[in-house]
Amino acid sequence: MPRAWLRTLVVLIATALVLLPSVGAQADTFTGDSTTGTASTVSPSTIAVGGTLSFTLSGFPQGAEVAILIDDADPGPGGQPGVVGELTVGEDGTYAGAVELPADVAKGAHWLRFIVTAGEDIPTNTVRTLDYTNKSPYFTVADVTIIGGGASTVPSTPTPTTVATPSVEPTAPAVAAGGDSGDAGAARTGWASVSLPVVTTVLLALAAVLLVLSVIMLIERRRLLAYERELEYAARR
């Protein structure tokens, strides 16, 4: 029986070690619902209501026409309702631009949805052009825009005078750390939110397995000592 327990524990430990490398692979899919090979970024990661959000898009078929939505909003008949921007992918499959967020977008976490609305299929692609889609990293709509660790307001009307920066504390659930441009910050935040719980679970499982293994070894050692004492006692008799 002890040997069977030891074999079982060895199998559990080996399985946990095999699963560990797969944790890092989840970092590329933390946004989910994106066509394989596509990618996007948004900046800044925290933006004021009605502000202008910069973005990049890559991995799409060249010449494809793409609609930009907020939070997977239904584009509706004709592709107009819910669309905050449109673009045509360049020859290298990339695009960089910006969209102005509607004033009615609620404060909190949001994302951009890029979907192809028109374009010819590429013979070398296994995915139809109209099936291409990408979900951007999350960004936060708050009272102020956070750029490089500083907060600046977005005035409702242009003004030639300098606007003083108000000391307003953002109420959004996530604020970019000092020096983060938003692109890398959002990606690292998303990666951590997915991978850290998995790593913690695997480490706790390994700790539990090692604890059980230690207890079993201690029990077996005591049994061996007792058996040796019995042999010694029998030899004396």
Side-chain angles (χ1 to χ4, degrees):
M1 177 65 76
R3 291 183 178 180
W5 269 102
L6 289 175
R7 285 196 295 269
T8 302
L9 291 175
V10 170
V11 171
L12 291 175
I13 294 174
T15 302
L17 292 177
V18 170
L19 290 177
L20 276 175
S22 64
V23 173
Q26 296 180 9
D28 293 334
T29 57
F30 75 92
T31 52
D33 301 330
S34 296
T35 303
T36 302
T38 65
S40 61
T41 65
V42 292
S43 177
S45 60
T46 300
I47 187 171
V49 176
T52 300
L53 186 70
S54 299
F55 67 87
T56 64
L57 183 66
S58 62
F60 274 59
Q62 64 177 19
E65 296 181 10
V66 178
I68 308 172
L69 308 133
I70 303 290
D71 299 341
D72 294 347
D74 185 3
Q80 292 305 318
V83 175
V84 296
E86 295 178 325
L87 62 91
T88 300
V89 180
E91 294 182 358
D92 58 353
T94 66
Y95 189 91
V99 292
E100 184 176 346
L101 299 181
D104 58 355
V105 175
K107 296 179 183 178
H110 299 276
W111 66 89
L112 296 182
R113 167 63 65 182
F114 302 94
I115 57 174
V116 174
T117 57
E120 297 182 0
D121 291 336
I122 307 298
T124 56
N125 290 357
T126 58
V127 181
R128 295 179 63 249
T129 296
L130 290 177
D131 292 335
Y132 271 78
T133 181
N134 180 271
K135 179 180 179 181
S136 78
Y138 289 96
F139 61 90
T140 301
V141 176
D143 290 325
V144 295
T145 297
I146 306 297
I147 300 177
S152 61
T153 59
V154 177
S156 56
T157 56
T159 174
T161 58
T162 302
V163 179
T165 301
S167 57
V168 179
E169 183 177 355
T171 58
V175 178
D180 244 345
S181 64
D183 301 344
R188 287 194 294 270
T189 302
W191 184 91
S193 64
V194 174
S195 62
L196 288 182
V198 179
V199 172
T200 302
T201 302
V202 173
L203 291 179
L204 289 177
L206 284 175
V209 169
L210 293 176
L211 178 61
V212 173
L213 182 60
S214 300
V215 172
I216 292 176
M217 293 180 63
L218 180 60
I219 294 175
E220 291 303 311
R221 184 174 181 180
R222 290 184 176 179
R223 287 183 179 178
L224 181 60
L225 290 175
Y227 179 70
E228 291 177 351
R229 290 174 182 173
E230 290 181 1
L231 290 178
E232 183 180 355
Y233 177 74
R236 290 179 180 177
R237 295 182 60 185

